[in-house]
């Protein structure tokens, strides 16, 4: 039966019941979709979730039967498109979803389908990780988005998801389970192909090892443990895992280097990876008073006023302060000294870009409280029309 645009709009799952690359009507269906996209992209994102929930029991059985399957890829080809390489660690039903999404991305490259899907699934996964609900369903979502990213050759997105799952850790067993689901589909997310001691991929992997090892030692009977990452991703045993303090010092040695900011400007993801790693280590390894006494007061205050290095350190400090507020009662986190420091930057002789980062940091650590952004509003009123037009959305919202 040839599907109409109306039925496709409400049921993208028709593309996910079997191997789309072997569908004789694939080209016709893709041409039909051209008339309803991008308006109906949300239907696609919803269909992936519906299908993931439907196949979850079967995927759980597949994973149990193929727990230590050798990592490899199969190649799938639809005539007229580049071959798609898909992990054999995915069940057939997960494979079909990955095929469908990758073909849609190839047919409609201007729509950023994979980006939109990852963003939508990221929110669902993190929410469920925090609540500890819908474990099997969410594990399937993790496996699917990891499989899609692997097929697209994009390790950056699943690594962000891994960092943020570990940063939450409100439910450690759940977060470890999801990291395991990710590793089973693409071990490379947790095992970068590098041995250079200052490579950001190696350092961020060490950060993940240190955090997971620390929490694993405090939790008994974890179904997916550190040992599985040792087997799948060639991690050290838990007894040889790095300590949080030592990894922090390793990364800080890198970022203290005189040419660090030059490298960051040339390679933006280099800075991003190291900042995420430090954020993870600070939040999971120290409480606020320790972070303030050992890092913020003796070193990081100086860095956030530096006319160049603020670009790396100001977002880092703001993110860490924000995370502490979320993890604790706000009344227990005294960030008044940090806020005053940032407000001083607003009205200093610093460049507008530097001041803008300070304003963003204040908004971030204020947790949306109106009475905490008064100085930011005062600073915003001083900007001319051209400067206001270049403001990021977070600051535009403050203007109201």
């Amino acid at each position: 039966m040839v599907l109409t645009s109306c039925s496709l709009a409400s049921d993208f799952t028709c593309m996910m019941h079997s191997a789309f690359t072997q569908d004789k009507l694939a080209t016709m269906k893709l041409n039909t979709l051209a008339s309803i996209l991008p308006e109906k992209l949300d239907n696609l994102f919803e269909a992936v979730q519906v299908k993931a929930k439907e196949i979850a029991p079967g995927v759980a059985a597949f994973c149990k039967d193929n727990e230590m399957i050798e990592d490899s890829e199969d190649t799938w080809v639809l005539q007229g498109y580049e071959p798609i390489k898909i992990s054999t660690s995915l069940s057939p039903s997960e494979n079909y979803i990955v095929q469908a999404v990758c073909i849609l991305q190839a047919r409609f490259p201007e729509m950023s389908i994979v980006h939109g899907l990852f963003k939508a699934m990221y929110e669902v996964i993190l929410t469920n990780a925090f609540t500890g609900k819908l474990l099997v369903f969410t594990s399937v979502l993790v496996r699917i988005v990891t499989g899609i990213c692997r097929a697209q050759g994009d390790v950056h997105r699943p690594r962000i998801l891994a960092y943020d799952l570990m940063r939450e850790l409100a439910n450690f067993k759940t977060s470890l389970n999801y990291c395991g689901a990710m590793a089973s589909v693409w071990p490379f997310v947790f095992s970068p192909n590098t041995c250079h001691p200052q490579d950001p991929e190696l350092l961020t992997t060490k950060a993940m090892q240190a955090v997971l090892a620390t929490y694993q030692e405090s939790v008994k009977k974890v179904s997916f443990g550190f040992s599985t990452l040792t087997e799948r991703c060639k991690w050290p045993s838990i007894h040889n895992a790095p300590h949080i303090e030592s990894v922090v010092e390793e990364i800080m040695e890198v970022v203290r280097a005189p040419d660090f900011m030059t490298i960051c400007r040339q390679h933006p993801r280099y800075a991003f990876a190291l900042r995420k790693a430090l954020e993870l280590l600070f939040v999971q390894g120290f409480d606020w008073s320790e972070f303030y006494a050992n890092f913020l007061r003796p070193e990081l205050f100086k860095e956030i006023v530096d006319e160049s290095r603020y670009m790396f350190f100001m977002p880092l400090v703001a993110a860490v302060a924000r995370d502490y507020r979320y993890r604790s009662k706000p009344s227990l986190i005294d960030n008044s000294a940090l806020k005053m420091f940032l407000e001083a930057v607003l009205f200093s002789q610093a460049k507008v870009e530097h001041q803008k980062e300070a304003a963003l940091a204040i908004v971030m650590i204020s947790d949306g409280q109106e009475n905490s952004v008064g100085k930011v509003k005062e600073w915003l009123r001083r900007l001319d029309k051209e400067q206001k037009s270049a403001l990021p959305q977070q600051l535009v919202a403050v203007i109201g």
Side-chain angles (χ1 to χ4, degrees):
M1 180 178 68
V2 178
L3 295 169
T4 65
S5 61
C6 179
S7 63
L8 279 169
S10 60
D11 190 13
F12 278 92
T13 56
C14 66
M15 298 178 62
M16 305 172 190
H17 293 322
S18 59
F20 193 67
T21 53
Q22 299 174 0
D23 189 338
K24 294 180 180 179
L25 299 176
T27 300
M28 183 184 303
K29 291 178 180 179
L30 289 168
N31 290 338
T32 304
L33 279 170
S35 65
I36 64 169
L37 292 174
E39 287 79 7
K40 299 297 182 179
L41 271 180
D42 285 346
N43 295 76
L44 170 63
F45 304 156
E46 181 181 353
V48 170
Q49 292 188 65
V50 170
K51 193 65 179 175
K53 191 168 291 186
E54 175 188 315
I55 67 175
V59 173
F62 174 88
C63 292
K64 186 176 181 180
D65 293 339
N66 298 273
E67 186 175 359
M68 294 309 298
I69 188 171
E70 190 72 23
D71 181 56
S72 62
E73 297 174 332
D74 278 340
T75 301
W76 300 80
V77 181
L78 178 63
Q79 186 175 2
Y81 295 88
E82 291 293 321
I84 305 169
K85 293 184 177 182
I86 299 178
S87 170
T88 56
S89 296
L90 292 171
S91 67
S93 51
E94 293 170 305
N95 180 305
Y96 303 153
I97 298 173
V98 173
Q99 282 191 44
V101 173
C102 289
I103 290 294
L104 284 169
Q105 178 63 62
R107 173 64 177 80
F108 306 104
E110 73 282 0
M111 296 183 191
S112 300
I113 290 172
V114 169
H115 172 74
L117 177 67
F118 183 87
K119 185 177 179 181
M121 298 305 103
Y122 171 93
E123 296 297 335
V124 174
I125 291 166
L126 281 190
T127 298
N128 290 349
F130 184 78
T131 62
K133 296 179 179 178
L134 302 173
L135 178 63
V136 177
F137 159 67
T138 311
S139 294
V140 174
L141 280 186
V142 170
R143 287 169 55 84
I144 289 169
V145 297
T146 304
I148 291 168
C149 289
R150 178 171 183 167
Q152 297 285 308
D154 180 7
V155 74
H156 184 63
R157 286 194 175 99
R159 279 189 181 148
I160 292 173
L161 178 57
Y163 299 152
D164 289 343
L165 282 169
M166 292 183 205
R167 191 188 67 202
E168 294 296 333
L169 283 185
N171 188 321
F172 173 72
K173 291 184 180 180
T174 301
S175 293
L176 189 55
N177 185 287
Y178 295 155
C179 289
M182 201 178 300
S184 68
V185 175
W186 200 6
F188 182 61
V189 173
F190 298 95
S191 54
N193 185 26
T194 179
C195 59
H196 190 286
Q198 292 190 341
D199 190 292
E201 290 184 358
L202 183 60
L203 291 171
T204 51
T205 300
K206 281 187 176 182
M208 291 189 279
Q209 291 171 355
V211 168
L212 287 183
T214 298
Y215 278 80
Q216 170 87 50
E217 288 179 337
S218 65
V219 178
K220 305 298 182 184
K221 297 181 180 179
V222 179
S223 57
F224 183 93
F226 194 95
S227 60
T228 312
L229 283 163
T230 299
E231 295 168 358
R232 294 286 296 184
C233 307
K234 298 181 173 59
W235 278 21
S237 69
I238 190 168
H239 302 295
N240 295 317
H243 296 287
I244 287 177
E245 294 83 356
S246 65
V247 183
V248 169
E249 185 54 35
E250 273 192 78
I251 298 177
M252 289 301 293
E253 283 186 16
V254 173
V255 302
R256 289 178 187 127
D259 62 344
F260 175 67
M261 292 310 302
T262 300
I263 298 173
C264 289
R265 284 188 287 271
Q266 295 169 345
H267 306 284
R269 284 192 176 180
Y270 177 82
F272 180 85
L274 293 182
R275 188 162 60 235
K276 293 289 283 187
L278 282 173
E279 179 187 344
L280 174 65
L281 292 163
F282 286 144
V283 170
Q284 294 298 348
F286 309 90
D287 62 29
W288 173 254
S289 61
E290 291 171 329
F291 171 71
Y292 185 91
N294 297 326
F295 301 101
L296 186 55
R297 187 174 60 189
E299 183 167 7
L300 300 185
F301 272 145
K302 177 180 65 179
E303 298 287 15
I304 64 178
V305 297
D306 184 275
E307 63 181 16
S308 172
R309 296 169 69 80
Y310 78 88
M311 297 175 66
F312 178 85
F313 287 97
M314 198 170 279
L316 168 65
V317 169
V320 171
R322 174 204 58 197
D323 288 348
Y324 279 125
R325 285 181 63 85
Y326 285 153
R327 289 163 57 83
S328 310
K329 292 181 179 179
S331 60
L332 300 178
I333 304 300
D334 182 7
N335 59 23
S336 57
L338 172 60
K339 185 167 173 284
M340 290 175 61
F341 208 83
L342 293 170
E343 289 173 348
V345 174
L346 280 183
F347 300 100
S348 69
Q349 298 300 311
K351 295 178 181 178
V352 172
E353 286 301 315
H354 195 166
Q355 295 173 349
K356 187 189 301 182
E357 284 295 333
L360 283 168
I362 294 169
V363 171
M364 184 180 292
I365 69 174
S366 297
D367 199 23
Q369 296 179 8
E370 183 72 18
N371 61 353
S372 298
V373 294
K375 293 293 184 181
V376 174
K377 289 186 174 183
E378 183 181 341
W379 173 77
L380 288 169
R381 287 193 290 268
R382 297 186 177 193
L383 299 181
D384 60 35
K385 186 176 181 180
E386 183 178 350
Q387 290 169 332
K388 287 180 180 179
S389 67
L391 291 174
Q393 184 57 43
Q394 300 98 308
L395 294 181
V396 172
V398 174
I399 298 175

